[in-house]
mmCIF file of all heavy atoms in Angstrom:
data_model
loop_
_atom_site.group_PDB
_atom_site.id
_atom_site.type_symbol
_atom_site.label_atom_id
_atom_site.label_comp_id
_atom_site.label_asym_id
_atom_site.label_seq_id
_atom_site.Cartn_x
_atom_site.Cartn_y
_atom_site.Cartn_z
ATOM 1 N N ILE Y 99 -8.583 -63.746 25.934
ATOM 2 C CA ILE Y 99 -9.695 -63.631 26.872
ATOM 3 C C ILE Y 99 -9.612 -62.195 27.466
ATOM 4 O O ILE Y 99 -8.539 -61.583 27.590
ATOM 5 C CB ILE Y 99 -9.615 -64.674 27.927
ATOM 6 C CG1 ILE Y 99 -8.350 -64.537 28.812
ATOM 7 C CG2 ILE Y 99 -9.649 -66.068 27.354
ATOM 8 C CD1 ILE Y 99 -8.361 -65.435 30.042
ATOM 9 N N LYS Y 100 -10.785 -61.702 27.854
ATOM 10 C CA LYS Y 100 -10.916 -60.331 28.274
ATOM 11 C C LYS Y 100 -11.412 -60.279 29.732
ATOM 12 O O LYS Y 100 -11.905 -61.248 30.300
ATOM 13 C CB LYS Y 100 -11.822 -59.563 27.369
ATOM 14 C CG LYS Y 100 -11.311 -59.603 25.861
ATOM 15 C CD LYS Y 100 -12.100 -58.644 25.019
ATOM 16 C CE LYS Y 100 -11.477 -58.643 23.623
ATOM 17 N NZ LYS Y 100 -12.000 -57.574 22.772
ATOM 18 N N PRO Y 101 -11.198 -59.137 30.395
ATOM 19 C CA PRO Y 101 -11.635 -58.954 31.779
ATOM 20 C C PRO Y 101 -13.171 -59.244 31.897
ATOM 21 O O PRO Y 101 -13.941 -58.912 31.003
ATOM 22 C CB PRO Y 101 -11.303 -57.539 32.150
ATOM 23 C CG PRO Y 101 -10.217 -57.124 31.182
ATOM 24 C CD PRO Y 101 -10.522 -57.870 29.920
ATOM 25 N N PHE Y 102 -13.537 -59.786 33.018
ATOM 26 C CA PHE Y 102 -14.955 -60.024 33.363
ATOM 27 C C PHE Y 102 -15.346 -59.044 34.429
ATOM 28 O O PHE Y 102 -15.025 -59.123 35.585
ATOM 29 C CB PHE Y 102 -15.156 -61.482 33.823
ATOM 30 C CG PHE Y 102 -16.571 -61.738 34.279
ATOM 31 C CD1 PHE Y 102 -17.580 -61.884 33.351
ATOM 32 C CD2 PHE Y 102 -16.882 -61.893 35.644
ATOM 33 C CE1 PHE Y 102 -18.897 -62.110 33.755
ATOM 34 C CE2 PHE Y 102 -18.159 -62.172 36.033
ATOM 35 C CZ PHE Y 102 -19.169 -62.267 35.069
ATOM 36 N N THR Y 143 -12.606 -73.050 35.000
ATOM 37 C CA THR Y 143 -12.632 -72.362 36.310
ATOM 38 C C THR Y 143 -11.455 -71.428 36.432
ATOM 39 O O THR Y 143 -11.611 -70.298 36.890
ATOM 40 C CB THR Y 143 -12.629 -73.415 37.471
ATOM 41 O OG1 THR Y 143 -13.777 -74.237 37.310
ATOM 42 C CG2 THR Y 143 -12.612 -72.724 38.836
ATOM 43 N N ILE Y 144 -10.286 -71.901 36.041
ATOM 44 C CA ILE Y 144 -9.064 -71.087 36.120
ATOM 45 C C ILE Y 144 -9.226 -69.861 35.183
ATOM 46 O O ILE Y 144 -8.788 -68.762 35.498
ATOM 47 C CB ILE Y 144 -7.826 -71.939 35.801
ATOM 48 C CG1 ILE Y 144 -7.622 -73.017 36.824
ATOM 49 C CG2 ILE Y 144 -6.583 -71.055 35.665
ATOM 50 C CD1 ILE Y 144 -6.508 -73.975 36.532
ATOM 51 N N GLU Y 145 -9.778 -70.110 34.008
ATOM 52 C CA GLU Y 145 -9.962 -68.983 33.076
ATOM 53 C C GLU Y 145 -10.877 -67.931 33.553
ATOM 54 O O GLU Y 145 -10.605 -66.737 33.483
ATOM 55 C CB GLU Y 145 -10.499 -69.571 31.738
ATOM 56 C CG GLU Y 145 -10.787 -68.464 30.687
ATOM 57 C CD GLU Y 145 -11.523 -69.017 29.475
ATOM 58 O OE1 GLU Y 145 -11.517 -70.257 29.240
ATOM 59 O OE2 GLU Y 145 -11.984 -68.167 28.653
ATOM 60 N N LEU Y 146 -11.993 -68.349 34.202
ATOM 61 C CA LEU Y 146 -12.914 -67.362 34.780
ATOM 62 C C LEU Y 146 -12.234 -66.571 35.857
ATOM 63 O O LEU Y 146 -12.414 -65.362 35.977
ATOM 64 C CB LEU Y 146 -14.182 -68.025 35.275
ATOM 65 C CG LEU Y 146 -15.255 -67.145 35.961
ATOM 66 C CD1 LEU Y 146 -15.698 -66.075 34.952
ATOM 67 C CD2 LEU Y 146 -16.421 -67.955 36.438
ATOM 68 N N GLY Y 147 -11.484 -67.202 36.732
ATOM 69 C CA GLY Y 147 -10.725 -66.523 37.758
ATOM 70 C C GLY Y 147 -9.751 -65.492 37.194
ATOM 71 O O GLY Y 147 -9.635 -64.385 37.655
ATOM 72 N N LEU Y 148 -9.093 -65.885 36.074
ATOM 73 C CA LEU Y 148 -8.166 -64.972 35.427
ATOM 74 C C LEU Y 148 -8.915 -63.700 34.884
ATOM 75 O O LEU Y 148 -8.472 -62.554 35.044
ATOM 76 C CB LEU Y 148 -7.437 -65.637 34.267
ATOM 77 C CG LEU Y 148 -6.463 -64.799 33.441
ATOM 78 C CD1 LEU Y 148 -5.381 -64.188 34.384
ATOM 79 C CD2 LEU Y 148 -5.775 -65.676 32.375
ATOM 80 N N ARG Y 149 -10.080 -63.950 34.280
ATOM 81 C CA ARG Y 149 -10.831 -62.833 33.740
ATOM 82 C C ARG Y 149 -11.324 -61.875 34.854
ATOM 83 O O ARG Y 149 -11.362 -60.642 34.676
ATOM 84 C CB ARG Y 149 -12.053 -63.358 32.983
ATOM 85 C CG ARG Y 149 -11.696 -64.111 31.701
ATOM 86 C CD ARG Y 149 -12.949 -64.570 30.938
ATOM 87 N NE ARG Y 149 -13.732 -63.455 30.558
ATOM 88 C CZ ARG Y 149 -15.035 -63.475 30.316
ATOM 89 N NH1 ARG Y 149 -15.685 -64.613 30.410
ATOM 90 N NH2 ARG Y 149 -15.695 -62.365 29.928
ATOM 91 N N LYS Y 150 -11.686 -62.455 36.043
ATOM 92 C CA LYS Y 150 -12.107 -61.613 37.173
ATOM 93 C C LYS Y 150 -10.925 -60.841 37.718
ATOM 94 O O LYS Y 150 -11.063 -59.666 38.074
ATOM 95 C CB LYS Y 150 -12.691 -62.495 38.245
ATOM 96 C CG LYS Y 150 -14.047 -63.059 37.922
ATOM 97 C CD LYS Y 150 -14.581 -63.999 38.990
ATOM 98 C CE LYS Y 150 -15.982 -64.552 38.680
ATOM 99 N NZ LYS Y 150 -16.451 -65.445 39.751
ATOM 100 N N ALA Y 151 -9.755 -61.455 37.740
ATOM 101 C CA ALA Y 151 -8.540 -60.737 38.264
ATOM 102 C C ALA Y 151 -8.147 -59.639 37.303
ATOM 103 O O ALA Y 151 -7.705 -58.547 37.713
ATOM 104 C CB ALA Y 151 -7.397 -61.774 38.458
ATOM 105 N N LEU Y 152 -8.341 -59.854 35.995
ATOM 106 C CA LEU Y 152 -8.004 -58.804 35.017
ATOM 107 C C LEU Y 152 -8.926 -57.617 35.186
ATOM 108 O O LEU Y 152 -8.530 -56.491 34.790
ATOM 109 C CB LEU Y 152 -8.136 -59.387 33.611
ATOM 110 C CG LEU Y 152 -7.073 -60.394 33.187
ATOM 111 C CD1 LEU Y 152 -7.419 -61.002 31.823
ATOM 112 C CD2 LEU Y 152 -5.731 -59.769 33.119
ATOM 113 N N ALA Y 153 -10.105 -57.809 35.652
ATOM 114 C CA ALA Y 153 -11.045 -56.656 35.908
ATOM 115 C C ALA Y 153 -10.483 -55.713 36.980
ATOM 116 O O ALA Y 153 -10.746 -54.510 36.986
ATOM 117 C CB ALA Y 153 -12.400 -57.163 36.287
ATOM 118 N N VAL Y 179 -5.700 -60.979 27.064
ATOM 119 C CA VAL Y 179 -4.482 -61.687 27.251
ATOM 120 C C VAL Y 179 -4.566 -63.040 26.555
ATOM 121 O O VAL Y 179 -5.648 -63.554 26.273
ATOM 122 C CB VAL Y 179 -4.190 -61.941 28.773
ATOM 123 C CG1 VAL Y 179 -4.229 -60.658 29.542
ATOM 124 C CG2 VAL Y 179 -5.212 -62.935 29.403
ATOM 125 N N ARG Y 180 -3.438 -63.586 26.220
ATOM 126 C CA ARG Y 180 -3.369 -64.902 25.491
ATOM 127 C C ARG Y 180 -3.590 -66.031 26.508
ATOM 128 O O ARG Y 180 -2.939 -66.138 27.521
ATOM 129 C CB ARG Y 180 -2.016 -65.037 24.833
ATOM 130 C CG ARG Y 180 -1.784 -66.350 24.060
ATOM 131 C CD ARG Y 180 -2.665 -66.469 22.902
ATOM 132 N NE ARG Y 180 -2.604 -65.368 21.932
ATOM 133 C CZ ARG Y 180 -3.380 -65.221 20.906
ATOM 134 N NH1 ARG Y 180 -4.273 -66.198 20.600
ATOM 135 N NH2 ARG Y 180 -3.269 -64.155 20.126
ATOM 136 N N PHE Y 181 -4.555 -66.936 26.177
ATOM 137 C CA PHE Y 181 -4.837 -68.049 27.015
ATOM 138 C C PHE Y 181 -4.733 -69.351 26.174
ATOM 139 O O PHE Y 181 -5.450 -69.525 25.210
ATOM 140 C CB PHE Y 181 -6.272 -67.954 27.593
ATOM 141 C CG PHE Y 181 -6.651 -68.979 28.626
ATOM 142 C CD1 PHE Y 181 -6.210 -68.777 29.985
ATOM 143 C CD2 PHE Y 181 -7.377 -70.096 28.316
ATOM 144 C CE1 PHE Y 181 -6.529 -69.715 30.916
ATOM 145 C CE2 PHE Y 181 -7.664 -71.047 29.262
ATOM 146 C CZ PHE Y 181 -7.275 -70.847 30.595
ATOM 147 N N VAL Y 216 0.182 -60.126 28.933
ATOM 148 C CA VAL Y 216 0.239 -61.409 29.758
ATOM 149 C C VAL Y 216 -0.172 -62.581 28.835
ATOM 150 O O VAL Y 216 -1.003 -62.402 28.005
ATOM 151 C CB VAL Y 216 -0.760 -61.312 30.959
ATOM 152 C CG1 VAL Y 216 -1.219 -62.694 31.407
ATOM 153 C CG2 VAL Y 216 -0.059 -60.631 32.139
ATOM 154 N N GLN Y 217 0.498 -63.658 29.069
ATOM 155 C CA GLN Y 217 0.177 -64.929 28.384
ATOM 156 C C GLN Y 217 0.121 -66.047 29.423
ATOM 157 O O GLN Y 217 0.941 -66.092 30.310
ATOM 158 C CB GLN Y 217 1.191 -65.295 27.312
ATOM 159 C CG GLN Y 217 1.415 -64.244 26.218
ATOM 160 C CD GLN Y 217 2.442 -64.683 25.239
ATOM 161 O OE1 GLN Y 217 2.167 -65.073 24.112
ATOM 162 N NE2 GLN Y 217 3.726 -64.615 25.650
ATOM 163 N N VAL Y 218 -0.823 -66.918 29.261
ATOM 164 C CA VAL Y 218 -0.997 -68.033 30.163
ATOM 165 C C VAL Y 218 -1.099 -69.311 29.331
ATOM 166 O O VAL Y 218 -1.822 -69.364 28.360
ATOM 167 C CB VAL Y 218 -2.234 -67.898 31.081
ATOM 168 C CG1 VAL Y 218 -2.530 -69.180 31.851
ATOM 169 C CG2 VAL Y 218 -2.040 -66.724 32.019
ATOM 170 N N PHE Y 232 3.326 -68.805 32.852
ATOM 171 C CA PHE Y 232 2.829 -67.413 32.945
ATOM 172 C C PHE Y 232 3.950 -66.484 32.440
ATOM 173 O O PHE Y 232 5.060 -66.501 32.894
ATOM 174 C CB PHE Y 232 2.493 -67.055 34.388
ATOM 175 C CG PHE Y 232 2.058 -65.584 34.609
ATOM 176 C CD1 PHE Y 232 0.755 -65.250 34.336
ATOM 177 C CD2 PHE Y 232 2.954 -64.681 35.077
ATOM 178 C CE1 PHE Y 232 0.313 -63.969 34.587
ATOM 179 C CE2 PHE Y 232 2.553 -63.366 35.271
ATOM 180 C CZ PHE Y 232 1.214 -63.012 34.990
ATOM 181 N N PHE Y 247 -0.495 -59.867 41.606
ATOM 182 C CA PHE Y 247 -1.516 -60.189 40.677
ATOM 183 C C PHE Y 247 -1.803 -61.732 40.631
ATOM 184 O O PHE Y 247 -2.924 -62.135 40.562
ATOM 185 C CB PHE Y 247 -1.100 -59.715 39.262
ATOM 186 C CG PHE Y 247 -2.011 -60.264 38.216
ATOM 187 C CD1 PHE Y 247 -3.296 -59.806 37.977
ATOM 188 C CD2 PHE Y 247 -1.549 -61.270 37.335
ATOM 189 C CE1 PHE Y 247 -4.101 -60.325 36.998
ATOM 190 C CE2 PHE Y 247 -2.350 -61.796 36.331
ATOM 191 C CZ PHE Y 247 -3.678 -61.318 36.204
ATOM 192 N N TRP Y 251 -5.228 -63.663 41.223
ATOM 193 C CA TRP Y 251 -5.797 -64.633 40.312
ATOM 194 C C TRP Y 251 -6.264 -65.885 41.055
ATOM 195 O O TRP Y 251 -7.376 -66.436 40.825
ATOM 196 C CB TRP Y 251 -4.737 -64.976 39.262
ATOM 197 C CG TRP Y 251 -5.160 -66.030 38.252
ATOM 198 C CD1 TRP Y 251 -6.363 -66.464 37.902
ATOM 199 C CD2 TRP Y 251 -4.214 -66.709 37.341
ATOM 200 N NE1 TRP Y 251 -6.325 -67.404 36.922
ATOM 201 C CE2 TRP Y 251 -5.024 -67.577 36.546
ATOM 202 C CE3 TRP Y 251 -2.843 -66.628 37.106
ATOM 203 C CZ2 TRP Y 251 -4.410 -68.388 35.555
ATOM 204 C CZ3 TRP Y 251 -2.266 -67.478 36.190
ATOM 205 C CH2 TRP Y 251 -3.043 -68.324 35.398
ATOM 206 N N ALA Y 254 -9.475 -65.023 43.048
ATOM 207 C CA ALA Y 254 -10.635 -64.964 42.216
ATOM 208 C C ALA Y 254 -11.101 -66.325 41.714
ATOM 209 O O ALA Y 254 -12.310 -66.638 41.638
ATOM 210 C CB ALA Y 254 -10.321 -64.074 40.982
ATOM 211 N N THR Y 255 -10.175 -67.202 41.456
ATOM 212 C CA THR Y 255 -10.471 -68.577 41.029
ATOM 213 C C THR Y 255 -11.220 -69.355 42.157
ATOM 214 O O THR Y 255 -12.150 -70.116 41.922
ATOM 215 C CB THR Y 255 -9.251 -69.306 40.593
ATOM 216 O OG1 THR Y 255 -8.638 -68.606 39.546
ATOM 217 C CG2 THR Y 255 -9.556 -70.728 40.068
ATOM 218 N N PHE Y 469 -5.233 -72.198 43.336
ATOM 219 C CA PHE Y 469 -6.504 -72.262 42.556
ATOM 220 C C PHE Y 469 -7.638 -72.939 43.278
ATOM 221 O O PHE Y 469 -8.695 -73.181 42.699
ATOM 222 C CB PHE Y 469 -6.277 -72.866 41.193
ATOM 223 C CG PHE Y 469 -5.332 -72.070 40.313
ATOM 224 C CD1 PHE Y 469 -4.136 -72.630 39.891
ATOM 225 C CD2 PHE Y 469 -5.630 -70.756 39.921
ATOM 226 C CE1 PHE Y 469 -3.310 -71.939 39.047
ATOM 227 C CE2 PHE Y 469 -4.813 -70.079 39.102
ATOM 228 C CZ PHE Y 469 -3.605 -70.626 38.680
#
Side-chain angles (χ1 to χ4, degrees):
I99 64 172
K100 302 192 176 189
F102 177 71
T143 299
I144 295 174
E145 177 186 345
L146 179 58
L148 178 58
R149 293 182 63 202
K150 289 179 178 178
L152 290 172
V179 307
R180 177 67 53 185
F181 189 81
V216 153
Q217 302 178 104
V218 170
F232 176 82
F247 168 74
W251 178 15
T255 303
F469 295 119

